[in-house]
């Protein structure tokens, strides 16, 4: 079956869903093709930290009703090194900016609802198989849906289909360089029905490994611990997880409350990017073009930041027949991507156990941690990167 639209979007993650809403506001038709079912994408547990820029965009799109009610604004973060804890305050270091804790699956639910309310077509369980004609004015996406073959012809294809998607595979290899670090550790993440034990996030180095205390609401906590790459959730009983978290996050006079765990999964850690995100009429955004290790909480936020550029570029093309922003799309995104890559890598090396406790490398880690408490300049560097730079 043949269909047509102006912008064919592959992927109903944060990138694809925000792009569709921004284009719809400008009267530019689009269709989203999503591999999975609605129920699956709405319940996929992932990130939880929204930068101010991301919250501002969701508000601008009129999709923030629940976020405004249920999102938790944080004005600082605790950093811990073997039981010594310090706080980095955002307000005075960043001119009043903050982060908001609100689960990615809630963001996705809100954005899907907003898309459907505005009449944007999302085809769930549509498996994009290949893209043709990206060097012509009418590229097509070929996909399968309900056992039938379909072709979606469009002016532009937006590959918002994540790290394992097909978008990046259609970018000619000679047009980009690829950069990658695979880290020798993973995160075991849990969700638990227990009130958070801290009012703000805690990132902790411990000689037994990294731990992070985050939250989702006043009754649900989200926590992570560093595990080996070949570890499995079966090795981690609830009791063992709480014991380990309590040791790694511990500091004098503070107790970690435990409770029933209802979700456990292990995520590998990688840094990945390509230095060109477009070719002809194909444009990549979000995880399709870059992955950061989650230690800086940047993945979702970077995806949305790409989309701001892509939506402006497409709008400029449709409204003014001007392709200059399309031409500069990759370069415009890459400034922020490189910054987020560096910050995520810095936070990862600062808080994970990589070298024996007491080794030279480990004492350098400790010195970097201590420096945050000594130097307002260093604390500011962390705070402004963490809440997200406004200017780039
Ligand atoms: P995605 O959210 O991946 O969306 C891409 C969509 O495309 C998916 O819905 C997928 O089903 C669809 N798709 C793929 N291929 C096709 C196809 N062929 N046809 C049709 N549809 C297709 N970030 C953090 O900041 N903190 C975290 O704790 C964190 N945890 C994470 C845990 C996991 C397991 C993963 C995978 C990521 C995590 N991230 C985290 C990163 C963050 O969730 C991503 O950066 C964010 O989802 C990127 O959004 P996106 O829209 O680019 O991609
Ligand atoms: C969360 C995840 C992160 O990777 C992070 O850096 C902070 C918070 C979270 O899931 O809440």
């Amino acid at each position: 079956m043949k269909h047509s639209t102006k912008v064919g979007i592959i992927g109903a993650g944060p990138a694809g869903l925000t792009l569709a809403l921004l284009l719809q506001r400008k009267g530019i038709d689009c269709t989203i093709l999503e591999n999975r079912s609605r129920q699956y994408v709405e319940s996929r547990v992932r990130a939880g930290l929204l930068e101010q820029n991301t919250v501002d965009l969701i508000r601008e799109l009129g999709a923030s009703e629940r976020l405004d009610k249920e999102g938790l604004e944080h004005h600082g973060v605790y950093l811990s090194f073997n039981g010594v804890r310090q706080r980095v305050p955002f307000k005075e270091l960043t001119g009043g900016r903050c982060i908001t804790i609100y689960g990615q699956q809630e963001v996705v639910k809100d954005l899907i609802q907003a898309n459907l309310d505005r009449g944007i077509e999302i085809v769930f369980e549509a498996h994009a198989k290949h893209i043709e004609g990206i060097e012509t004015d009418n590229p097509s996406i070929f996909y399968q849906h309900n056992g039938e073959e379909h072709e979606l012809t469009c002016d532009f294809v937006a590959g918002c289909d994540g790290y394992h998607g097909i978008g990046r595979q259609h970018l000619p290899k000679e047009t980009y360089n690829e950069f990658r670090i695979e880290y020798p550790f993973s995160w075991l993440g849990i969700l638990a029905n227990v009130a958070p034990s801290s009012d703000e996030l805690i990132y902790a180095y411990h000689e037994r490994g990294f731990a992070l205390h985050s939250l989702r609401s006043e009754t649900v906590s989200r926590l992570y611990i560093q595990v080996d790459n070949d570890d499995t959730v079966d090795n981690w009983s609830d009791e063992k997880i709480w014991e380990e978290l309590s040791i790694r996050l511990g500091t004098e006079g503070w107790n970690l409350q435990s409770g029933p765990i209802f979700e456990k999964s292990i995520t590998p850690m990688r840094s990945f990017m390509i230095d060109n995100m477009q070719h002809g009429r194909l444009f990549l955004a979000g995880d399709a073009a870059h992955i950061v290790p989650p230690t800086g909480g940047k993945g979702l936020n970077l995806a949305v930041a790409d989309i701001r550029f892509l939506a402006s570029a497409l709008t400029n093309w449709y409204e003014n027949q001007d392709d200059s922003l399309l031409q500069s799309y990759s370069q415009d995104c890459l400034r922020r991507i490189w910054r987020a890559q560096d910050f995520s890598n810095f936070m990862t090396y600062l808080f994970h156990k990589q070298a024996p406790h007491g080794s030279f490398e480990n004492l350098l880690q400790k010195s970097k941690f201590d420096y945050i408490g000594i130097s307002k300049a260093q604390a500011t560097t962390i705070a402004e990167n963490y809440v997200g730079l406004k200017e780039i």
Side-chain angles (χ1 to χ4, degrees):
M1 269 188 271
K2 290 201 175 224
H3 316 262
S4 69
T5 189
K6 288 201 163 98
V7 180
I9 301 174
I10 313 176
L17 292 164
T18 44
L19 177 61
L21 287 170
L22 284 165
L23 295 177
Q24 188 269 345
R25 273 198 330 182
K26 299 289 180 183
I28 302 166
D29 290 341
C30 55
T31 297
I32 305 180
L33 303 176
E34 167 57 50
N35 226 344
R36 304 286 190 162
S37 66
R38 179 174 181 185
Q39 203 248 336
Y40 183 93
V41 293
E42 289 188 347
S43 53
R44 192 164 42 191
V45 176
R46 285 184 171 176
L49 186 164
L50 307 186
E51 289 178 1
Q52 181 91 53
N53 289 340
T54 304
V55 172
D56 290 347
L57 180 69
I58 297 173
R59 288 204 178 116
E60 217 176 293
L61 289 170
S64 68
E65 198 181 320
R66 227 157 49 89
L67 168 64
D68 287 331
K69 264 196 238 132
E70 296 171 25
L72 301 164
E73 275 190 6
H74 284 193
H75 298 274
V77 63
Y78 294 108
L79 306 178
S80 171
F81 205 91
N82 251 352
V84 178
R85 206 183 273 183
Q86 55 177 318
R87 180 173 183 266
V88 174
F90 302 146
K91 215 171 177 173
E92 53 263 48
L93 298 178
T94 67
R97 291 164 76 73
C98 68
I99 57 153
T100 299
I101 298 295
Y102 188 65
Q104 178 168 334
Q105 72 269 40
E106 307 307 323
V107 172
V108 166
K109 272 183 215 160
D110 297 346
L111 294 175
I112 287 177
Q113 196 54 55
N115 270 274
L116 297 177
D117 288 348
R118 289 162 210 189
I120 297 165
E121 185 180 25
I122 308 177
V123 189
F124 289 101
E125 298 178 64
H127 312 283
K129 295 288 179 195
H130 69 279
I131 307 166
E132 278 181 15
I134 59 171
E135 290 177 354
T136 72
D137 292 347
N138 287 105
S140 287
I141 307 168
F142 292 84
Y143 66 98
Q144 280 173 350
H145 180 57
N146 286 339
E148 287 175 346
E149 306 292 330
H150 298 258
E151 178 181 351
L152 177 65
T153 303
C154 32
D155 299 333
F156 296 95
V157 176
C160 302
D161 50 352
Y163 181 68
H164 299 288
I166 63 155
R168 195 173 66 253
Q169 294 165 18
H170 288 79
L171 212 58
K173 288 264 181 293
E174 64 278 10
T175 64
Y176 62 86
N177 296 298
E178 190 177 296
F179 305 92
R180 183 189 292 274
I181 300 173
E182 303 283 346
Y183 296 89
F185 38 74
S186 299
W187 277 16
L188 167 64
I190 61 156
L191 280 167
N193 278 320
V194 60
S197 302
S198 171
D199 54 343
E200 291 173 340
L201 272 57
I202 310 167
Y203 289 77
Y205 165 85
H206 191 274
E207 59 192 79
R208 297 169 70 96
F210 169 82
L212 167 61
H213 185 308
S214 182
L215 59 148
R216 285 293 176 270
S217 69
E218 279 161 21
T219 55
V220 175
S221 298
R222 175 81 164 141
L223 299 108
Y224 300 92
I225 35 178
Q226 175 182 351
V227 296
D228 290 339
N229 281 342
D230 58 1
D231 215 337
T232 61
V233 288
D234 299 336
N235 288 333
W236 288 89
S237 66
D238 292 11
E239 199 186 2
K240 186 174 160 191
I241 291 174
W242 285 118
E243 198 182 301
E244 198 61 32
L245 282 166
S246 175
I247 296 170
R248 296 189 192 183
L249 291 164
T251 193
E252 223 181 298
W254 179 84
N255 281 316
L256 177 68
Q257 299 304 315
S258 59
I261 296 175
F262 62 91
E263 141 80 36
K264 264 184 219 177
S265 58
I266 291 185
T267 311
M269 311 261 296
R270 67 166 66 90
S271 301
F272 168 82
M273 65 183 284
I274 51 178
D275 61 0
N276 168 44
M277 298 160 61
Q278 65 191 85
H279 184 71
R281 292 292 181 102
L282 171 66
F283 294 82
L284 304 183
D287 278 17
H290 41 74
I291 297 287
V292 287
T295 327
K298 293 283 164 228
L300 184 164
N301 297 295
L302 266 190
V304 170
D306 290 349
I307 292 303
R308 263 197 195 276
F309 284 116
L310 186 54
S312 304
L314 289 167
T315 303
N316 196 31
W317 191 87
Y318 280 107
E319 287 183 350
N320 308 315
Q321 292 74 52
D322 178 352
D323 73 349
S324 57
L325 294 179
L326 285 171
Q327 296 293 345
S328 64
Y329 168 70
S330 295
Q331 292 316 313
D332 291 341
C333 292
L334 281 162
R335 276 193 302 275
R336 188 179 202 86
I337 297 166
W338 277 116
R339 185 87 305 283
Q341 288 287 7
D342 177 54
F343 180 66
S344 304
N345 177 268
F346 168 82
M347 290 287 281
T348 301
Y349 283 130
L350 183 56
F351 287 108
H352 285 74
K353 181 176 177 166
Q354 313 129 69
H357 193 68
S359 64
F360 181 68
E361 289 85 347
N362 172 246
L363 293 171
L364 290 180
Q365 257 176 304
K366 180 172 184 315
S367 174
K368 283 196 188 78
F369 174 82
D370 291 342
Y371 186 46
I372 301 165
I374 296 165
S375 159
K376 192 173 177 190
Q378 180 66 351
T380 304
T381 294
I382 291 187
E384 70 186 10
N385 279 277
Y386 192 70
V387 300
L389 289 151
K390 201 174 184 175
E391 297 76 21
I392 56 174

